[in-house]
Amino acid sequence: EAQVTQNPRYLITVTGKKLTVTCSQNMNHEYMSWYRQDPGLGLRQIYYSMNVEVTDKGDVPEGYKVSRKEKRNFPLILESPSPNQTSLYFCASMQRESPYEQYFGPGTRLTVT
Amino acid sequence: AQSVTQLDSQVPVFEEAPVELRCNYSSSVSVYLFWYVQYPNQGLQLLLKYLSGSTLVESINGFEAEFNKSQTSFHLRKPSVHISDTAEYFCAVIHNQAGTALIFGKGTTLSVSS
């Protein structure tokens, strides 16, 4: 089954404790992206990757890191989480050609206390 | 720069009533347009898309959207909604030349009651 998986689905952590949210897709997609969803703000892009070893900042990259060492994986790293990073995070992947449909993971709900 | 504006943050309707969720975009080049739906406690799913060709596109569950280039709009409509249509709906645009990020509107919450 074609899918994007994220782990963990739920995470409660404390300020400053480094964490990684994993994302993996099995569709051989070149493009992957991370979004955060906050009430009243919709989805905002954090980082995206057009291919292996190619990453770019989105609209809200501060406080986040990513890497793309393999085509299927695109982990999101919070080196020193802060309470304002409490949010719902989505990973997505897409083939870089028409029909440009992004496939989303189930989401990771992160709470930083 | 591209942007997407969803004109209504919340739309409450009664079951079997028609509904329109409005979306306007701004872009200096041709775009691809999408509507995504997020059911409660779930991720986003593609509802329908406009890439080219017919300006009226339809989904399998009765929604339709019309691309209007002159008004830069891509409004979503359904003639008769069901309770199960209760969800958050996101309009999105992608730049079709550079293949850059998908830009989302802030979402419209559709609440269908009986």
Side-chain angles (χ1 to χ4, degrees), chain A residues 31 35 37 40-43 45 50 90 94 98-102 104-106, chain B residues 32 34 36 38 43-44 46 49 51 88 90 94 96 98-99 101-102 104 106:
Chain A
Y31 177 100
Y35 299 89
Q37 182 180 16
L41 298 178
L43 279 85
Q45 191 179 50
M50 301 292 262
F90 289 101
M94 176 181 75
S98 183
Y100 297 105
E101 177 180 348
Q102 291 207 13
F104 285 81
Chain B
Y32 292 163
F34 305 82
Y36 281 83
Q38 184 180 28
L44 278 78
L46 181 68
K49 59 183 179 283
L51 303 179
E88 189 157 19
F90 293 93
I94 194 166
N96 67 342
L102 193 63
F104 286 90
K106 294 185 178 180

PDB file of all heavy atoms in Angstrom, chain A residues 31 35 37 40-43 45 50 90 94 98-102 104-106, chain B residues 32 34 36 38 43-44 46 49 51 88 90 94 96 98-99 101-102 104 106:
ATOM      1  N   TYR A  31      10.119  14.438  -4.065  1.00  0.00           N
ATOM      2  CA  TYR A  31       9.838  15.612  -3.242  1.00  0.00           C
ATOM      3  C   TYR A  31       9.231  15.190  -1.906  1.00  0.00           C
ATOM      4  O   TYR A  31       8.318  14.373  -1.863  1.00  0.00           O
ATOM      5  CB  TYR A  31       8.858  16.514  -3.990  1.00  0.00           C
ATOM      6  CG  TYR A  31       8.387  17.745  -3.257  1.00  0.00           C
ATOM      7  CD1 TYR A  31       8.946  18.985  -3.508  1.00  0.00           C
ATOM      8  CD2 TYR A  31       7.345  17.675  -2.341  1.00  0.00           C
ATOM      9  CE1 TYR A  31       8.497  20.131  -2.868  1.00  0.00           C
ATOM     10  CE2 TYR A  31       6.897  18.809  -1.686  1.00  0.00           C
ATOM     11  CZ  TYR A  31       7.471  20.032  -1.958  1.00  0.00           C
ATOM     12  OH  TYR A  31       7.022  21.152  -1.311  1.00  0.00           O
ATOM     13  N   TYR A  35       5.237  20.109   7.264  1.00  0.00           N
ATOM     14  CA  TYR A  35       4.344  21.209   7.568  1.00  0.00           C
ATOM     15  C   TYR A  35       3.991  21.159   9.060  1.00  0.00           C
ATOM     16  O   TYR A  35       3.991  20.103   9.670  1.00  0.00           O
ATOM     17  CB  TYR A  35       3.026  21.098   6.786  1.00  0.00           C
ATOM     18  CG  TYR A  35       3.163  21.114   5.291  1.00  0.00           C
ATOM     19  CD1 TYR A  35       3.349  19.938   4.580  1.00  0.00           C
ATOM     20  CD2 TYR A  35       3.090  22.314   4.587  1.00  0.00           C
ATOM     21  CE1 TYR A  35       3.468  19.949   3.192  1.00  0.00           C
ATOM     22  CE2 TYR A  35       3.202  22.335   3.202  1.00  0.00           C
ATOM     23  CZ  TYR A  35       3.391  21.149   2.519  1.00  0.00           C
ATOM     24  OH  TYR A  35       3.503  21.170   1.155  1.00  0.00           O
ATOM     25  N   GLN A  37       0.711  22.461  11.533  1.00  0.00           N
ATOM     26  CA  GLN A  37      -0.659  22.953  11.473  1.00  0.00           C
ATOM     27  C   GLN A  37      -1.049  23.520  12.822  1.00  0.00           C
ATOM     28  O   GLN A  37      -0.970  22.835  13.847  1.00  0.00           O
ATOM     29  CB  GLN A  37      -1.638  21.828  11.087  1.00  0.00           C
ATOM     30  CG  GLN A  37      -3.074  22.302  10.959  1.00  0.00           C
ATOM     31  CD  GLN A  37      -4.027  21.195  10.575  1.00  0.00           C
ATOM     32  OE1 GLN A  37      -3.716  20.018  10.675  1.00  0.00           O
ATOM     33  NE2 GLN A  37      -5.205  21.564  10.099  1.00  0.00           N
ATOM     34  N   GLY A  40      -6.230  28.313  13.158  1.00  0.00           N
ATOM     35  CA  GLY A  40      -6.322  29.651  12.591  1.00  0.00           C
ATOM     36  C   GLY A  40      -5.195  30.040  11.654  1.00  0.00           C
ATOM     37  O   GLY A  40      -5.246  31.099  11.019  1.00  0.00           O
ATOM     38  N   LEU A  41      -4.197  29.205  11.561  1.00  0.00           N
ATOM     39  CA  LEU A  41      -3.049  29.507  10.688  1.00  0.00           C
ATOM     40  C   LEU A  41      -2.929  28.540   9.535  1.00  0.00           C
ATOM     41  O   LEU A  41      -2.107  28.740   8.636  1.00  0.00           O
ATOM     42  CB  LEU A  41      -1.748  29.495  11.504  1.00  0.00           C
ATOM     43  CG  LEU A  41      -1.655  30.529  12.622  1.00  0.00           C
ATOM     44  CD1 LEU A  41      -0.340  30.363  13.383  1.00  0.00           C
ATOM     45  CD2 LEU A  41      -1.761  31.949  12.065  1.00  0.00           C
ATOM     46  N   GLY A  42      -3.711  27.490   9.524  1.00  0.00           N
ATOM     47  CA  GLY A  42      -3.632  26.511   8.459  1.00  0.00           C
ATOM     48  C   GLY A  42      -2.329  25.730   8.516  1.00  0.00           C
ATOM     49  O   GLY A  42      -1.746  25.542   9.584  1.00  0.00           O
ATOM     50  N   LEU A  43      -1.862  25.296   7.367  1.00  0.00           N
ATOM     51  CA  LEU A  43      -0.604  24.559   7.274  1.00  0.00           C
ATOM     52  C   LEU A  43       0.483  25.491   6.781  1.00  0.00           C
ATOM     53  O   LEU A  43       0.312  26.193   5.783  1.00  0.00           O
ATOM     54  CB  LEU A  43      -0.729  23.384   6.302  1.00  0.00           C
ATOM     55  CG  LEU A  43      -1.365  22.134   6.857  1.00  0.00           C
ATOM     56  CD1 LEU A  43      -2.876  22.230   6.752  1.00  0.00           C
ATOM     57  CD2 LEU A  43      -0.858  20.905   6.125  1.00  0.00           C
ATOM     58  N   GLN A  45       4.643  25.576   5.772  1.00  0.00           N
ATOM     59  CA  GLN A  45       5.743  24.694   5.423  1.00  0.00           C
ATOM     60  C   GLN A  45       6.981  25.012   6.243  1.00  0.00           C
ATOM     61  O   GLN A  45       7.377  26.172   6.388  1.00  0.00           O
ATOM     62  CB  GLN A  45       6.052  24.813   3.934  1.00  0.00           C
ATOM     63  CG  GLN A  45       7.004  23.744   3.437  1.00  0.00           C
ATOM     64  CD  GLN A  45       7.266  23.893   1.970  1.00  0.00           C
ATOM     65  OE1 GLN A  45       7.590  24.974   1.499  1.00  0.00           O
ATOM     66  NE2 GLN A  45       7.112  22.810   1.233  1.00  0.00           N
ATOM     67  N   MET A  50      13.759  18.601  -2.596  1.00  0.00           N
ATOM     68  CA  MET A  50      13.436  18.263  -3.988  1.00  0.00           C
ATOM     69  C   MET A  50      14.058  16.933  -4.405  1.00  0.00           C
ATOM     70  O   MET A  50      13.645  16.345  -5.411  1.00  0.00           O
ATOM     71  CB  MET A  50      13.924  19.378  -4.920  1.00  0.00           C
ATOM     72  CG  MET A  50      13.306  20.739  -4.604  1.00  0.00           C
ATOM     73  SD  MET A  50      11.541  20.808  -4.956  1.00  0.00           S
ATOM     74  CE  MET A  50      11.587  21.579  -6.562  1.00  0.00           C
ATOM     75  N   PHE A  90       2.878  17.463   9.922  1.00  0.00           N
ATOM     76  CA  PHE A  90       2.599  16.555   8.821  1.00  0.00           C
ATOM     77  C   PHE A  90       3.786  16.473   7.877  1.00  0.00           C
ATOM     78  O   PHE A  90       4.372  17.486   7.508  1.00  0.00           O
ATOM     79  CB  PHE A  90       1.379  17.011   8.015  1.00  0.00           C
ATOM     80  CG  PHE A  90       0.079  16.837   8.731  1.00  0.00           C
ATOM     81  CD1 PHE A  90      -0.531  17.913   9.341  1.00  0.00           C
ATOM     82  CD2 PHE A  90      -0.519  15.592   8.792  1.00  0.00           C
ATOM     83  CE1 PHE A  90      -1.739  17.759  10.006  1.00  0.00           C
ATOM     84  CE2 PHE A  90      -1.729  15.425   9.457  1.00  0.00           C
ATOM     85  CZ  PHE A  90      -2.336  16.510  10.066  1.00  0.00           C
ATOM     86  N   MET A  94       5.666  13.726  -2.829  1.00  0.00           N
ATOM     87  CA  MET A  94       5.039  13.982  -4.127  1.00  0.00           C
ATOM     88  C   MET A  94       6.023  13.645  -5.236  1.00  0.00           C
ATOM     89  O   MET A  94       7.243  13.826  -5.079  1.00  0.00           O
ATOM     90  CB  MET A  94       4.671  15.479  -4.202  1.00  0.00           C
ATOM     91  CG  MET A  94       4.101  15.953  -5.509  1.00  0.00           C
ATOM     92  SD  MET A  94       3.742  17.725  -5.490  1.00  0.00           S
ATOM     93  CE  MET A  94       5.401  18.422  -5.634  1.00  0.00           C
ATOM     94  N   SER A  98       3.449  16.364 -13.039  1.00  0.00           N
ATOM     95  CA  SER A  98       1.998  16.249 -12.979  1.00  0.00           C
ATOM     96  C   SER A  98       1.586  14.841 -12.595  1.00  0.00           C
ATOM     97  O   SER A  98       2.200  13.868 -13.056  1.00  0.00           O
ATOM     98  CB  SER A  98       1.429  16.615 -14.354  1.00  0.00           C
ATOM     99  OG  SER A  98       0.034  16.577 -14.340  1.00  0.00           O
ATOM    100  N   PRO A  99       0.573  14.691 -11.722  1.00  0.00           N
ATOM    101  CA  PRO A  99      -0.427  15.653 -11.285  1.00  0.00           C
ATOM    102  C   PRO A  99      -0.093  16.414 -10.003  1.00  0.00           C
ATOM    103  O   PRO A  99      -0.965  17.054  -9.445  1.00  0.00           O
ATOM    104  CB  PRO A  99      -1.653  14.782 -11.064  1.00  0.00           C
ATOM    105  CG  PRO A  99      -1.092  13.496 -10.579  1.00  0.00           C
ATOM    106  CD  PRO A  99       0.196  13.317 -11.330  1.00  0.00           C
ATOM    107  N   TYR A 100       1.134  16.388  -9.544  1.00  0.00           N
ATOM    108  CA  TYR A 100       1.552  17.171  -8.385  1.00  0.00           C
ATOM    109  C   TYR A 100       0.701  16.911  -7.143  1.00  0.00           C
ATOM    110  O   TYR A 100       0.465  17.813  -6.360  1.00  0.00           O
ATOM    111  CB  TYR A 100       1.518  18.672  -8.699  1.00  0.00           C
ATOM    112  CG  TYR A 100       2.469  19.079  -9.781  1.00  0.00           C
ATOM    113  CD1 TYR A 100       2.003  19.381 -11.056  1.00  0.00           C
ATOM    114  CD2 TYR A 100       3.835  19.164  -9.544  1.00  0.00           C
ATOM    115  CE1 TYR A 100       2.887  19.746 -12.063  1.00  0.00           C
ATOM    116  CE2 TYR A 100       4.720  19.528 -10.539  1.00  0.00           C
ATOM    117  CZ  TYR A 100       4.234  19.817 -11.798  1.00  0.00           C
ATOM    118  OH  TYR A 100       5.099  20.185 -12.783  1.00  0.00           O
ATOM    119  N   GLU A 101       0.297  15.702  -6.943  1.00  0.00           N
ATOM    120  CA  GLU A 101      -0.523  15.381  -5.778  1.00  0.00           C
ATOM    121  C   GLU A 101       0.370  15.055  -4.604  1.00  0.00           C
ATOM    122  O   GLU A 101       1.215  14.164  -4.677  1.00  0.00           O
ATOM    123  CB  GLU A 101      -1.432  14.199  -6.058  1.00  0.00           C
ATOM    124  CG  GLU A 101      -2.258  13.777  -4.847  1.00  0.00           C
ATOM    125  CD  GLU A 101      -3.164  12.609  -5.128  1.00  0.00           C
ATOM    126  OE1 GLU A 101      -3.331  12.261  -6.306  1.00  0.00           O
ATOM    127  OE2 GLU A 101      -3.725  12.064  -4.162  1.00  0.00           O
ATOM    128  N   GLN A 102       0.189  15.753  -3.497  1.00  0.00           N
ATOM    129  CA  GLN A 102       0.964  15.465  -2.294  1.00  0.00           C
ATOM    130  C   GLN A 102       0.221  14.441  -1.453  1.00  0.00           C
ATOM    131  O   GLN A 102      -0.982  14.520  -1.248  1.00  0.00           O
ATOM    132  CB  GLN A 102       1.214  16.747  -1.484  1.00  0.00           C
ATOM    133  CG  GLN A 102       2.161  17.697  -2.198  1.00  0.00           C
ATOM    134  CD  GLN A 102       2.940  18.601  -1.264  1.00  0.00           C
ATOM    135  OE1 GLN A 102       2.978  18.413  -0.055  1.00  0.00           O
ATOM    136  NE2 GLN A 102       3.579  19.608  -1.840  1.00  0.00           N
ATOM    137  N   PHE A 104      -0.016  12.789   2.241  1.00  0.00           N
ATOM    138  CA  PHE A 104       0.299  13.199   3.605  1.00  0.00           C
ATOM    139  C   PHE A 104       0.359  12.016   4.564  1.00  0.00           C
ATOM    140  O   PHE A 104      -0.410  11.056   4.439  1.00  0.00           O
ATOM    141  CB  PHE A 104      -0.749  14.193   4.112  1.00  0.00           C
ATOM    142  CG  PHE A 104      -0.595  15.562   3.525  1.00  0.00           C
ATOM    143  CD1 PHE A 104      -1.093  15.855   2.268  1.00  0.00           C
ATOM    144  CD2 PHE A 104       0.077  16.551   4.223  1.00  0.00           C
ATOM    145  CE1 PHE A 104      -0.933  17.124   1.708  1.00  0.00           C
ATOM    146  CE2 PHE A 104       0.239  17.814   3.685  1.00  0.00           C
ATOM    147  CZ  PHE A 104      -0.253  18.095   2.423  1.00  0.00           C
ATOM    148  N   GLY A 105       1.250  12.127   5.516  1.00  0.00           N
ATOM    149  CA  GLY A 105       1.275  11.198   6.620  1.00  0.00           C
ATOM    150  C   GLY A 105       0.131  11.476   7.581  1.00  0.00           C
ATOM    151  O   GLY A 105      -0.590  12.460   7.429  1.00  0.00           O
ATOM    152  N   PRO A 106      -0.020  10.636   8.610  1.00  0.00           N
ATOM    153  CA  PRO A 106      -1.147  10.759   9.537  1.00  0.00           C
ATOM    154  C   PRO A 106      -0.984  11.871  10.567  1.00  0.00           C
ATOM    155  O   PRO A 106      -1.938  12.204  11.267  1.00  0.00           O
ATOM    156  CB  PRO A 106      -1.177   9.400  10.225  1.00  0.00           C
ATOM    157  CG  PRO A 106       0.240   8.937  10.179  1.00  0.00           C
ATOM    158  CD  PRO A 106       0.795   9.447   8.892  1.00  0.00           C
TER     159      PRO A 106
ATOM    160  N   TYR B  32      -1.363  25.389 -10.593  1.00  0.00           N
ATOM    161  CA  TYR B  32      -2.175  24.208 -10.378  1.00  0.00           C
ATOM    162  C   TYR B  32      -2.901  24.416  -9.060  1.00  0.00           C
ATOM    163  O   TYR B  32      -2.306  24.888  -8.092  1.00  0.00           O
ATOM    164  CB  TYR B  32      -1.316  22.950 -10.278  1.00  0.00           C
ATOM    165  CG  TYR B  32      -0.637  22.534 -11.556  1.00  0.00           C
ATOM    166  CD1 TYR B  32       0.432  21.648 -11.520  1.00  0.00           C
ATOM    167  CD2 TYR B  32      -1.048  22.999 -12.796  1.00  0.00           C
ATOM    168  CE1 TYR B  32       1.069  21.234 -12.673  1.00  0.00           C
ATOM    169  CE2 TYR B  32      -0.417  22.596 -13.959  1.00  0.00           C
ATOM    170  CZ  TYR B  32       0.649  21.712 -13.897  1.00  0.00           C
ATOM    171  OH  TYR B  32       1.273  21.309 -15.039  1.00  0.00           O
ATOM    172  N   PHE B  34      -5.682  23.022  -5.937  1.00  0.00           N
ATOM    173  CA  PHE B  34      -6.112  21.815  -5.238  1.00  0.00           C
ATOM    174  C   PHE B  34      -7.075  22.172  -4.105  1.00  0.00           C
ATOM    175  O   PHE B  34      -7.006  23.255  -3.530  1.00  0.00           O
ATOM    176  CB  PHE B  34      -4.903  21.096  -4.616  1.00  0.00           C
ATOM    177  CG  PHE B  34      -3.811  20.760  -5.581  1.00  0.00           C
ATOM    178  CD1 PHE B  34      -2.870  21.710  -5.941  1.00  0.00           C
ATOM    179  CD2 PHE B  34      -3.717  19.490  -6.109  1.00  0.00           C
ATOM    180  CE1 PHE B  34      -1.848  21.412  -6.829  1.00  0.00           C
ATOM    181  CE2 PHE B  34      -2.690  19.172  -7.004  1.00  0.00           C
ATOM    182  CZ  PHE B  34      -1.764  20.129  -7.356  1.00  0.00           C
ATOM    183  N   TYR B  36      -7.902  20.124  -0.543  1.00  0.00           N
ATOM    184  CA  TYR B  36      -7.639  18.997   0.337  1.00  0.00           C
ATOM    185  C   TYR B  36      -8.685  19.012   1.447  1.00  0.00           C
ATOM    186  O   TYR B  36      -9.144  20.069   1.880  1.00  0.00           O
ATOM    187  CB  TYR B  36      -6.245  19.090   0.958  1.00  0.00           C
ATOM    188  CG  TYR B  36      -5.130  18.669   0.043  1.00  0.00           C
ATOM    189  CD1 TYR B  36      -4.588  19.557  -0.889  1.00  0.00           C
ATOM    190  CD2 TYR B  36      -4.602  17.381   0.107  1.00  0.00           C
ATOM    191  CE1 TYR B  36      -3.556  19.166  -1.723  1.00  0.00           C
ATOM    192  CE2 TYR B  36      -3.561  16.988  -0.724  1.00  0.00           C
ATOM    193  CZ  TYR B  36      -3.047  17.889  -1.640  1.00  0.00           C
ATOM    194  OH  TYR B  36      -2.029  17.500  -2.465  1.00  0.00           O
ATOM    195  N   GLN B  38      -9.580  17.479   5.424  1.00  0.00           N
ATOM    196  CA  GLN B  38      -9.049  16.862   6.643  1.00  0.00           C
ATOM    197  C   GLN B  38     -10.224  16.526   7.552  1.00  0.00           C
ATOM    198  O   GLN B  38     -10.836  17.423   8.145  1.00  0.00           O
ATOM    199  CB  GLN B  38      -8.086  17.807   7.353  1.00  0.00           C
ATOM    200  CG  GLN B  38      -7.429  17.203   8.571  1.00  0.00           C
ATOM    201  CD  GLN B  38      -6.478  18.174   9.258  1.00  0.00           C
ATOM    202  OE1 GLN B  38      -6.648  19.382   9.201  1.00  0.00           O
ATOM    203  NE2 GLN B  38      -5.456  17.644   9.901  1.00  0.00           N
ATOM    204  N   GLY B  43      -5.204  12.898   8.747  1.00  0.00           N
ATOM    205  CA  GLY B  43      -4.342  13.698   7.885  1.00  0.00           C
ATOM    206  C   GLY B  43      -5.127  14.268   6.716  1.00  0.00           C
ATOM    207  O   GLY B  43      -6.346  14.138   6.642  1.00  0.00           O
ATOM    208  N   LEU B  44      -4.433  14.919   5.806  1.00  0.00           N
ATOM    209  CA  LEU B  44      -5.078  15.539   4.656  1.00  0.00           C
ATOM    210  C   LEU B  44      -5.195  14.562   3.496  1.00  0.00           C
ATOM    211  O   LEU B  44      -4.292  13.753   3.252  1.00  0.00           O
ATOM    212  CB  LEU B  44      -4.262  16.748   4.183  1.00  0.00           C
ATOM    213  CG  LEU B  44      -4.485  18.046   4.949  1.00  0.00           C
ATOM    214  CD1 LEU B  44      -3.741  18.024   6.271  1.00  0.00           C
ATOM    215  CD2 LEU B  44      -4.033  19.229   4.111  1.00  0.00           C
ATOM    216  N   LEU B  46      -6.389  14.446  -0.739  1.00  0.00           N
ATOM    217  CA  LEU B  46      -6.742  15.244  -1.908  1.00  0.00           C
ATOM    218  C   LEU B  46      -8.208  15.030  -2.254  1.00  0.00           C
ATOM    219  O   LEU B  46      -8.667  13.896  -2.372  1.00  0.00           O
ATOM    220  CB  LEU B  46      -5.854  14.849  -3.091  1.00  0.00           C
ATOM    221  CG  LEU B  46      -6.112  15.629  -4.367  1.00  0.00           C
ATOM    222  CD1 LEU B  46      -5.689  17.089  -4.190  1.00  0.00           C
ATOM    223  CD2 LEU B  46      -5.359  15.006  -5.538  1.00  0.00           C
ATOM    224  N   LYS B  49      -8.550  18.433  -7.995  1.00  0.00           N
ATOM    225  CA  LYS B  49      -7.459  19.276  -8.471  1.00  0.00           C
ATOM    226  C   LYS B  49      -7.788  19.818  -9.857  1.00  0.00           C
ATOM    227  O   LYS B  49      -8.536  19.207 -10.624  1.00  0.00           O
ATOM    228  CB  LYS B  49      -6.144  18.495  -8.537  1.00  0.00           C
ATOM    229  CG  LYS B  49      -6.197  17.269  -9.461  1.00  0.00           C
ATOM    230  CD  LYS B  49      -4.888  16.508  -9.414  1.00  0.00           C
ATOM    231  CE  LYS B  49      -4.937  15.276 -10.318  1.00  0.00           C
ATOM    232  NZ  LYS B  49      -5.707  14.181  -9.707  1.00  0.00           N
ATOM    233  N   LEU B  51      -5.553  21.050 -13.092  1.00  0.00           N
ATOM    234  CA  LEU B  51      -4.228  21.156 -13.697  1.00  0.00           C
ATOM    235  C   LEU B  51      -4.316  21.885 -15.033  1.00  0.00           C
ATOM    236  O   LEU B  51      -3.519  22.768 -15.334  1.00  0.00           O
ATOM    237  CB  LEU B  51      -3.617  19.770 -13.888  1.00  0.00           C
ATOM    238  CG  LEU B  51      -3.501  18.914 -12.616  1.00  0.00           C
ATOM    239  CD1 LEU B  51      -2.905  17.553 -12.946  1.00  0.00           C
ATOM    240  CD2 LEU B  51      -2.659  19.624 -11.571  1.00  0.00           C
ATOM    241  N   GLU B  88     -12.428  19.905   7.803  1.00  0.00           N
ATOM    242  CA  GLU B  88     -11.751  21.149   7.442  1.00  0.00           C
ATOM    243  C   GLU B  88     -11.263  21.013   6.005  1.00  0.00           C
ATOM    244  O   GLU B  88     -10.728  19.979   5.609  1.00  0.00           O
ATOM    245  CB  GLU B  88     -10.588  21.446   8.379  1.00  0.00           C
ATOM    246  CG  GLU B  88     -10.007  22.835   8.178  1.00  0.00           C
ATOM    247  CD  GLU B  88      -9.264  23.363   9.386  1.00  0.00           C
ATOM    248  OE1 GLU B  88      -8.879  22.558  10.252  1.00  0.00           O
ATOM    249  OE2 GLU B  88      -9.051  24.596   9.452  1.00  0.00           O
ATOM    250  N   PHE B  90      -9.041  22.670   2.809  1.00  0.00           N
ATOM    251  CA  PHE B  90      -7.930  23.555   2.492  1.00  0.00           C
ATOM    252  C   PHE B  90      -7.792  23.707   0.988  1.00  0.00           C
ATOM    253  O   PHE B  90      -7.725  22.721   0.257  1.00  0.00           O
ATOM    254  CB  PHE B  90      -6.607  22.995   3.036  1.00  0.00           C
ATOM    255  CG  PHE B  90      -6.524  22.964   4.530  1.00  0.00           C
ATOM    256  CD1 PHE B  90      -6.885  21.832   5.242  1.00  0.00           C
ATOM    257  CD2 PHE B  90      -6.080  24.074   5.235  1.00  0.00           C
ATOM    258  CE1 PHE B  90      -6.806  21.802   6.630  1.00  0.00           C
ATOM    259  CE2 PHE B  90      -5.994  24.060   6.618  1.00  0.00           C
ATOM    260  CZ  PHE B  90      -6.359  22.914   7.309  1.00  0.00           C
ATOM    261  N   ILE B  94       0.068  25.372  -6.330  1.00  0.00           N
ATOM    262  CA  ILE B  94       1.462  25.031  -6.566  1.00  0.00           C
ATOM    263  C   ILE B  94       1.915  25.722  -7.842  1.00  0.00           C
ATOM    264  O   ILE B  94       1.158  25.844  -8.794  1.00  0.00           O
ATOM    265  CB  ILE B  94       1.675  23.510  -6.650  1.00  0.00           C
ATOM    266  CG1 ILE B  94       3.154  23.158  -6.555  1.00  0.00           C
ATOM    267  CG2 ILE B  94       1.070  22.935  -7.912  1.00  0.00           C
ATOM    268  CD1 ILE B  94       3.409  21.696  -6.305  1.00  0.00           C
ATOM    269  N   ASN B  96       3.599  25.734 -11.146  1.00  0.00           N
ATOM    270  CA  ASN B  96       3.799  24.574 -12.015  1.00  0.00           C
ATOM    271  C   ASN B  96       5.065  24.640 -12.859  1.00  0.00           C
ATOM    272  O   ASN B  96       5.346  23.737 -13.605  1.00  0.00           O
ATOM    273  CB  ASN B  96       2.585  24.377 -12.932  1.00  0.00           C
ATOM    274  CG  ASN B  96       2.445  25.505 -13.932  1.00  0.00           C
ATOM    275  OD1 ASN B  96       3.024  26.564 -13.750  1.00  0.00           O
ATOM    276  ND2 ASN B  96       1.688  25.273 -14.980  1.00  0.00           N
ATOM    277  N   ALA B  98       8.309  25.928 -11.461  1.00  0.00           N
ATOM    278  CA  ALA B  98       9.453  25.655 -10.593  1.00  0.00           C
ATOM    279  C   ALA B  98       9.244  24.418  -9.731  1.00  0.00           C
ATOM    280  O   ALA B  98      10.199  23.918  -9.141  1.00  0.00           O
ATOM    281  CB  ALA B  98       9.740  26.860  -9.703  1.00  0.00           C
ATOM    282  N   GLY B  99       8.014  23.934  -9.639  1.00  0.00           N
ATOM    283  CA  GLY B  99       7.748  22.783  -8.786  1.00  0.00           C
ATOM    284  C   GLY B  99       8.000  23.062  -7.327  1.00  0.00           C
ATOM    285  O   GLY B  99       8.431  22.183  -6.590  1.00  0.00           O
ATOM    286  N   ALA B 101       6.937  24.706  -3.383  1.00  0.00           N
ATOM    287  CA  ALA B 101       6.072  24.199  -2.336  1.00  0.00           C
ATOM    288  C   ALA B 101       4.603  24.411  -2.626  1.00  0.00           C
ATOM    289  O   ALA B 101       4.208  25.309  -3.356  1.00  0.00           O
ATOM    290  CB  ALA B 101       6.436  24.882  -1.031  1.00  0.00           C
ATOM    291  N   LEU B 102       3.808  23.575  -2.017  1.00  0.00           N
ATOM    292  CA  LEU B 102       2.362  23.719  -2.023  1.00  0.00           C
ATOM    293  C   LEU B 102       2.001  24.777  -0.995  1.00  0.00           C
ATOM    294  O   LEU B 102       2.388  24.668   0.163  1.00  0.00           O
ATOM    295  CB  LEU B 102       1.730  22.384  -1.673  1.00  0.00           C
ATOM    296  CG  LEU B 102       0.244  22.210  -1.913  1.00  0.00           C
ATOM    297  CD1 LEU B 102      -0.084  22.341  -3.377  1.00  0.00           C
ATOM    298  CD2 LEU B 102      -0.204  20.863  -1.381  1.00  0.00           C
ATOM    299  N   PHE B 104      -0.817  26.659   1.124  1.00  0.00           N
ATOM    300  CA  PHE B 104      -2.172  26.415   1.595  1.00  0.00           C
ATOM    301  C   PHE B 104      -2.857  27.694   2.051  1.00  0.00           C
ATOM    302  O   PHE B 104      -2.217  28.619   2.568  1.00  0.00           O
ATOM    303  CB  PHE B 104      -2.143  25.461   2.793  1.00  0.00           C
ATOM    304  CG  PHE B 104      -1.857  24.038   2.440  1.00  0.00           C
ATOM    305  CD1 PHE B 104      -0.558  23.567   2.413  1.00  0.00           C
ATOM    306  CD2 PHE B 104      -2.889  23.164   2.147  1.00  0.00           C
ATOM    307  CE1 PHE B 104      -0.288  22.248   2.092  1.00  0.00           C
ATOM    308  CE2 PHE B 104      -2.636  21.843   1.826  1.00  0.00           C
ATOM    309  CZ  PHE B 104      -1.330  21.385   1.798  1.00  0.00           C
ATOM    310  N   LYS B 106      -5.743  29.138   4.850  1.00  0.00           N
ATOM    311  CA  LYS B 106      -5.821  28.873   6.278  1.00  0.00           C
ATOM    312  C   LYS B 106      -6.909  27.880   6.656  1.00  0.00           C
ATOM    313  O   LYS B 106      -7.038  27.521   7.820  1.00  0.00           O
ATOM    314  CB  LYS B 106      -5.996  30.181   7.038  1.00  0.00           C
ATOM    315  CG  LYS B 106      -4.768  31.073   6.921  1.00  0.00           C
ATOM    316  CD  LYS B 106      -4.888  32.320   7.760  1.00  0.00           C
ATOM    317  CE  LYS B 106      -3.607  33.145   7.645  1.00  0.00           C
ATOM    318  NZ  LYS B 106      -3.655  34.381   8.444  1.00  0.00           N
TER     319      LYS B 106
END
